[in-house]
């Protein structure tokens, strides 16, 4: 009996995911990945200078490094990448599910990204999320930045420590978080109320903040699913924030309300 098309496509997607690897580059990103016991490491390419700088991490990881001439750096990464003589092939991290990452902390905070596809923005958001104590950063599988070398380099090590989940459907995930007791706030510059005002009488409540891509912002479905639309309390009625800056300010505001 011939398998239905959807079954075949699902099996192909599963096989593709199992075969997927990522090339990380740059001394900070490579060092933190080597020091992460949860990261599956496949191949390390380094120059002599980079190997000396990464000696402790290489020893910790127990990986054999491939030495190359700096003029013939053979790692399959963009030639314009600032690799600093180090590139590491790895498997993407598996952080597990929503509940195990978002429940358990006191007053948890979660960031959700609605079509934020720029890896540099997501990397910067992961870095802020780690510093400001977010439980997780959540994007979608098909319309958010995947793990890449550029994302890892911008995250400056946070990719190895800050849970970054990619879900099938953002609206369903918002509903699931609401079922866990989260107050879900969508960031929208046209909203009537600020983050601080929305949280004024809700101290101790778990909070999830949803941010949209620069320009289009939140999708209509997202706006209809969140509990409330809020804005960052700005000093004037001009300009707009980069999404990574907005994420940091919104997270800080929600934590210190």
């Amino acid at each position: 009996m011939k398998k239905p098309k959807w079954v075949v496509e699902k099996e192909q997607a599963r096989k593709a995911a199992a075969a997927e690897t990522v090339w990380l580059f740059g001394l900070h990103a490579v060092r933190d990945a080597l020091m992460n016991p949860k990261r599956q490491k496949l191949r390390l390419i380094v120059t002599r200078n980079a190997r000396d700088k990464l000696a402790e991490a290489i020893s910790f990881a127990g990986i054999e490094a491939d030495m190359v001439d700096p003029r013939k750096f053979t790692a399959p990464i963009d030639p314009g990448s600032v690799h600093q003589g180090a590139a590491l092939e790895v498997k993407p991290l598996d952080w597990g599910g929503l509940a195990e990452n978002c429940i358990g902390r006191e007053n948890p905070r979660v960031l959700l990204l609605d079509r934020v596809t720029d890896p540099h923005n997501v990397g910067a958001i992961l870095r802020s999320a780690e510093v400001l104590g977010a439980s997780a950063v959540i994007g979608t599988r098909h319309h958010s930045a995947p793990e890449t070398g550029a994302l890892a380099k911008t995250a400056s090590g946070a990719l190895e420590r800050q849970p970054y989940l990619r879900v099938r459907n953002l609206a369903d995930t918002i509903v699931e978080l609401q079922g866990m007791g989260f107050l879900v706030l969508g960031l929208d510059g046209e909203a009537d109320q600020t983050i601080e005002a929305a949280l004024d009488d809700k101290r101790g409540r778990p909070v999830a903040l949803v941010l949209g891509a620069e320009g289009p912002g939140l999708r209509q479905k997202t706006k209809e699913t969140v509990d409330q639309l809020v804005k960052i309390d700005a000093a004037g009625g001009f300009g707009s924030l980069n999404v990574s800056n907005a994420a940091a300010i919104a997270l800080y505001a929600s934590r210190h309300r």
Side-chain angles (χ1 to χ4, degrees):
M1 181 178 176
K2 189 176 180 180
K3 294 181 181 179
K5 184 179 178 181
W6 70 269
V7 173
V8 174
E9 290 176 347
K10 190 173 183 179
E11 289 177 349
Q12 290 174 339
R14 190 181 298 117
K15 288 179 181 178
E20 182 184 0
T21 65
V22 181
W23 278 94
L24 307 179
F25 57 83
L27 292 174
H28 281 297
V30 170
R31 178 183 290 110
D32 285 311
L34 288 171
M35 297 297 288
N36 183 3
K38 295 180 180 179
R39 177 69 86 172
Q40 186 178 347
K41 308 146 191 88
L42 304 175
R43 185 185 178 197
L44 175 63
I45 298 176
V46 290
T47 61
R48 183 178 301 278
N49 185 45
R51 184 201 60 181
D52 293 343
K53 291 179 179 178
L54 295 171
E56 183 180 350
I58 293 171
S59 175
F60 178 86
I63 190 172
E64 188 74 27
D66 295 342
M67 290 278 294
V68 297
D69 187 305
R71 296 164 295 182
K72 300 177 181 178
F73 199 77
T74 55
I77 60 177
D78 189 307
S81 300
V82 184
H83 54 71
Q84 299 173 294
L88 177 66
E89 185 182 19
V90 298
K91 299 289 286 184
L93 285 166
D94 180 8
W95 287 101
L98 199 63
E100 62 195 274
N101 285 285
C102 299
I103 293 178
R105 291 192 184 188
E106 184 178 355
N107 299 334
R109 295 293 183 266
V110 173
L111 291 173
L112 295 100
L113 309 180
D114 188 2
R115 297 183 300 176
V116 180
T117 58
D118 187 328
H120 299 94
N121 277 333
V122 176
I125 289 169
L126 288 170
R127 193 171 181 180
S128 295
E130 180 185 27
V131 170
L132 295 170
S135 298
V137 176
I138 302 169
T140 52
R141 294 179 190 173
H142 298 297
H143 299 287
S144 64
E147 285 190 36
T148 63
L151 187 154
K153 196 169 193 302
T154 307
S156 192
L159 180 63
E160 304 302 321
R161 300 178 293 270
Q162 175 63 48
Y164 178 41
L165 315 181
R166 296 177 70 211
V167 297
R168 187 182 302 277
N169 184 285
L170 194 68
D172 290 346
T173 301
I174 291 171
V175 171
E176 189 174 347
L177 285 169
Q178 288 166 333
M180 295 177 191
F182 276 81
L183 175 68
V184 184
L185 304 176
L187 271 287
D188 187 328
E190 301 300 317
D192 295 325
Q193 201 168 32
T194 64
I195 298 169
E196 291 87 349
L199 295 176
D200 195 41
D201 59 347
K202 299 178 179 67
R203 294 188 181 187
R205 182 92 180 265
V207 175
L209 300 162
V210 192
L211 297 103
E214 292 172 46
L218 299 176
R219 286 175 291 181
Q220 188 60 35
K221 177 66 172 177
T222 305
K223 291 182 180 182
E224 294 169 356
T225 310
V226 300
D227 293 304
Q228 187 176 342
L229 294 175
V230 295
K231 64 183 178 181
I232 290 172
D233 189 11
F238 52 86
S240 61
L241 287 168
N242 171 282
V243 65
S244 61
N245 292 332
I249 293 170
L251 187 55
Y252 182 87
S254 76
R255 274 234 172 267
H256 292 81
R257 183 61 206 151

